């Protein structure tokens, strides 16, 4: 190792003293924490952590509510249940479904929205009974679905007939969530 000259030692010592004179007070002063004391910063952090915990619990509750409304199985199984429920509701109301079309599932926020379009003719009393039966069958342990859109038009006022067009909709987990890949 080479030895330092007195001038070099003085310059190094002065540099260390300047660094200590500027650095240490800068670390200790409130300006390092935005003008707030360390206790205030710690209190703010605890408040943020408390709020974060509250928001996480709220998210868990909302997710549980969503999961409770999702239908079991995949989109094809849900379409089958909606078709069967529609036909059962029509039979119990004394009707016949004239047109029934499943639509392609749509991806909505990580879920699949599944819909079935229905067309039928009924009296007002039959239409009420049909809709009641369909809504009741849509709230089952295997999952739920509901009437999303309904149009009723009087076709023959003398016979009290209505033309009904409706869309029944349910949700299942998206395929990427079902297989756990998350892609």
């Amino acid at each position: 190792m080479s030895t330092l000259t007195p001038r070099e030692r003085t310059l190094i010592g002065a540099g260390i003293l300047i660094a200590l004179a500027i650095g240490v007070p800068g670390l200790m002063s409130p300006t390092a924490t935005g003008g707030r004391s360390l206790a205030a910063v710690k209190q703010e952090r605890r408040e943020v952590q408390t709020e974060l915990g509250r928001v996480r619990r709220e998210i868990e509750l909302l997710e549980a509510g969503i999961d409770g409304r999702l239908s079991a199985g995949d989109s094809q199984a849900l379409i089958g249940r909606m078709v069967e429920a529609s036909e059962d509701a029509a039979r119990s109301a004394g009707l016949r479904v004239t047109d029934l079309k499943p639509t392609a599932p749509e991806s909505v926020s990580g879920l699949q929205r599944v819909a079935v379009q229905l067309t039928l003719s009924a009296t007002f009393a039959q239409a009420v009974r049909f809709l009641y039966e369909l809504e009741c069958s849509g709230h089952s342990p295997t999952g739920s679905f509901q009437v999303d859109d309904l149009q009723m038009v009087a076709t023959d006022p003398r016979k009290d007939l209505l033309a009904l067009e409706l869309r029944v909709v349910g949700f299942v987990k998206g395929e990427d969530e079902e297989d756990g890949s998350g892609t």
Side-chain angles (χ1 to χ4, degrees):
M1 265 180 112
S2 69
T3 60
L4 299 175
T5 65
R7 182 172 186 249
E8 291 173 332
R9 284 190 293 233
T10 305
L11 288 174
I12 291 174
I16 291 172
L17 285 174
I18 291 171
L20 288 174
I22 293 172
V24 172
L27 291 174
M28 303 299 267
S29 73
T31 58
T33 58
R36 298 171 295 171
S37 70
L38 188 55
V41 171
K42 286 182 178 180
Q43 177 63 28
E44 184 178 330
R45 181 177 180 190
R46 281 192 297 272
E47 289 171 2
V48 168
Q49 287 175 334
T50 301
E51 180 67 13
L52 182 60
R54 186 192 65 74
V55 168
R56 284 184 176 152
R57 286 188 298 279
E58 188 175 333
I59 288 171
E60 288 172 3
L61 288 173
L62 291 172
E63 285 177 342
I66 289 170
D67 287 345
R69 292 182 178 203
L70 292 178
S71 293
D74 62 0
S75 58
Q76 293 304 313
L78 177 57
I79 288 172
R81 286 193 301 274
M82 289 191 305
V83 167
E84 183 179 341
S86 299
E87 290 172 346
D88 290 347
R91 250 190 313 281
S92 72
L95 300 172
R96 189 175 70 76
V97 176
T98 55
D99 190 25
L100 191 141
K101 294 182 209 168
T103 61
E106 301 173 41
S107 289
V108 179
S109 300
L111 302 175
Q112 282 192 318
R113 182 177 188 260
V114 180
V116 174
Q117 294 281 124
L118 299 157
T119 305
L120 50 101
S121 293
T123 64
F124 183 76
Q126 289 173 320
V128 169
R129 178 68 181 192
F130 169 75
L131 292 171
Y132 172 79
E133 293 291 333
L134 187 59
E135 281 289 321
C136 287
S137 64
H139 303 287
S140 69
T142 57
S144 64
F145 51 87
Q146 61 191 17
V147 175
D148 181 51
D149 185 31
L150 170 66
Q151 295 178 357
M152 283 195 274
V153 179
T155 57
D156 188 354
R158 290 173 286 177
K159 293 184 181 178
D160 189 32
L161 280 179
L162 301 170
L164 276 79
E165 289 184 17
L166 61 132
R167 181 176 48 239
V168 179
V169 175
F171 290 88
V172 293
K173 286 190 177 184
E175 290 180 13
D176 58 335
E177 291 184 18
E178 286 179 359
D179 65 13
S181 67
T183 58

